[in-house]
Amino acid sequence: MTVPPTHTLCPNAPVPALPMEGLIGVIAPAGPAALDTHKAVQWMRARGYSLKVFPGVYEKEGYLAGSDEVRLNDLHAAFADPEVDAIICLRGGYGTPRLLDRIDFELLRNNAKPFIGYSDITALHLAISRHAGFVTFHGPLLNADLLGKRQQPTESSFLNMLRGHLKAGSVLAHPEAYPLTTIAPGIAHGRLLGGNLSMIAATMGTPYEIDAEGVILFIEDINEPLYRIDRLLTHLRLAGTLRKLRGVLVGDVAGVDVSSLDRLLKQAFEPFRIPVLSGWRSGHCDPNLTLPMGALVRLNAGRQELVLEQDVVIRR
């Protein structure tokens, strides 16, 4: 089945590409983690970049990386700083949703730049897409992924996407060592949006919930047994979200038996007759591929391809 493009699709705006010798800011909008600053600086320097660490990265308040005020100030400061070319999050965890109703989305929109993270950071991807309208990147965290030495193509996927090496028409490469599974064949055009399934469900009923109309939904998760994945998908179905989708790309669902997950995915999405492709290596996995949230893409589940249909960054 082919789900055709429609004039109502409104892709998010591309952001400036990460320039060579650029400055990357690191913030901690969710949970705390000890950062080896010397190691982080050396990692960036070896790839031609410098690093700016915002104050909240070094703070800890229980399960949060500093108070809400500190974490919010760092988010705003990183976007407002004209010298910062891209922003990467330290880690996920918990706490990002606490910031949503205090974010100055006009400030973010007026200073759009690559913003990278996953897991709890999903809340920011959804909110920025809905209220600021520019592409963000579901990609590696500084501590767990880049400094944690995730295997390739984690790093190359991240850098190629942000540097602008992938243009409209580019097929996003997927490592052959990790076979994909076609749950439902077909072709769909839409905005790629989503992230952590638990976080997507947690924002339902708020002004920051996923705007699912015309969307190819990307989902991933960790530490959720199969029955809870079922519950989360049922939540989205009962909320009317699934019927608005054009297709589904399923990333890593860590800790769940793959064959059991595939059966659940078929059962959950079959009534909607949309393409579904499973096994994409993005999320809490190694390697962890970067995906452009809010960008217009084409999903060919039968051929197991994901193709960019717009430039996601613009070189200055």
Side-chain angles (χ1 to χ4, degrees), residues 33-299:
L35 175 65
D36 185 334
T37 306
H38 176 74
K39 182 179 179 182
V41 168
Q42 291 299 111
W43 192 96
M44 291 293 176
R45 185 175 295 160
R47 289 149 183 86
Y49 299 103
S50 52
L51 185 70
K52 179 172 182 176
V53 181
F54 283 81
V57 167
Y58 298 116
E59 296 202 17
K60 183 178 186 295
E61 191 167 292
Y63 46 76
L64 301 172
S67 67
D68 291 349
E69 192 71 27
V70 165
R71 291 178 292 114
L72 181 68
N73 286 345
D74 280 359
L75 175 69
H76 285 157
F79 272 99
D81 189 335
E83 294 186 353
V84 171
D85 297 298
I87 303 166
I88 190 168
C89 296
L90 178 69
R91 62 157 292 183
Y94 173 77
T96 303
R98 294 170 56 131
L99 308 180
L100 297 183
D101 59 348
R102 300 171 61 193
I103 293 174
D104 183 346
F105 289 103
E106 183 176 0
L107 182 151
L108 271 58
R109 183 169 53 250
N110 291 338
N111 298 277
K113 61 189 69 175
F115 175 80
I116 311 101
Y118 69 99
S119 193
D120 197 66
I121 310 304
T122 294
L124 282 169
H125 291 310
L126 299 178
I128 290 172
S129 176
R130 185 154 199 154
H131 296 286
F134 59 86
V135 171
T136 58
F137 298 91
H138 186 282
L141 298 165
L142 181 60
N143 252 24
D145 297 270
L146 299 184
L147 301 184
K149 299 182 179 179
R150 294 278 197 239
Q151 63 180 306
Q152 286 286 22
T154 300
E155 179 187 328
S156 59
S157 171
F158 163 69
L159 291 176
N160 287 340
M161 185 80 70
L162 268 62
R163 288 170 174 169
H165 295 168
L166 300 174
K167 300 287 189 180
S170 296
V171 178
L172 298 189
H174 192 271
E176 294 182 1
Y178 300 93
L180 297 164
T181 300
T182 299
I183 304 297
I187 302 171
H189 305 254
R191 289 184 303 121
L192 183 66
L193 195 58
N196 182 261
L197 179 58
S198 298
M199 190 57 59
I200 295 169
T203 56
M204 296 303 297
T206 76
Y208 313 99
E209 68 182 7
I210 188 168
D211 182 5
E213 195 68 51
V215 158
I216 293 174
L217 178 68
F218 168 70
I219 54 174
E220 65 85 31
D221 221 315
I222 186 172
N223 295 333
E224 298 287 359
L226 188 66
Y227 77 90
R228 289 175 67 173
I229 299 296
D230 187 345
R231 178 189 295 161
L232 293 166
L233 291 174
T234 300
H235 183 177
L236 297 184
R237 176 178 65 82
L238 294 175
T241 302
L242 300 189
R243 63 177 172 79
K244 300 177 182 178
L245 301 177
R246 292 186 166 270
V248 180
L249 179 67
V250 182
D252 187 63
V253 183
V256 173
D257 176 72
V258 174
S259 60
S260 298
L261 175 64
D262 288 348
R263 285 194 296 272
L264 173 60
L265 293 171
K266 184 175 181 62
Q267 183 183 55
F269 293 108
E270 192 170 41
F272 304 100
R273 303 183 65 225
I274 55 177
V276 182
L277 181 63
S278 182
W280 196 269
R281 297 297 290 184
S282 292
H284 296 79
C285 54
D286 185 12
N288 178 12
L289 306 179
T290 298
L291 290 170
M293 297 290 97
L296 191 62
V297 301
R298 180 174 75 252
L299 174 67

Side-chain angles (χ1 to χ4, degrees), residues 291-309:
L291 290 170
M293 297 290 97
L296 191 62
V297 301
R298 180 174 75 252
L299 174 67
N300 188 327
R303 292 183 60 178
Q304 300 185 338
E305 281 186 349
L306 186 66
V307 182
L308 288 180
E309 292 204 320

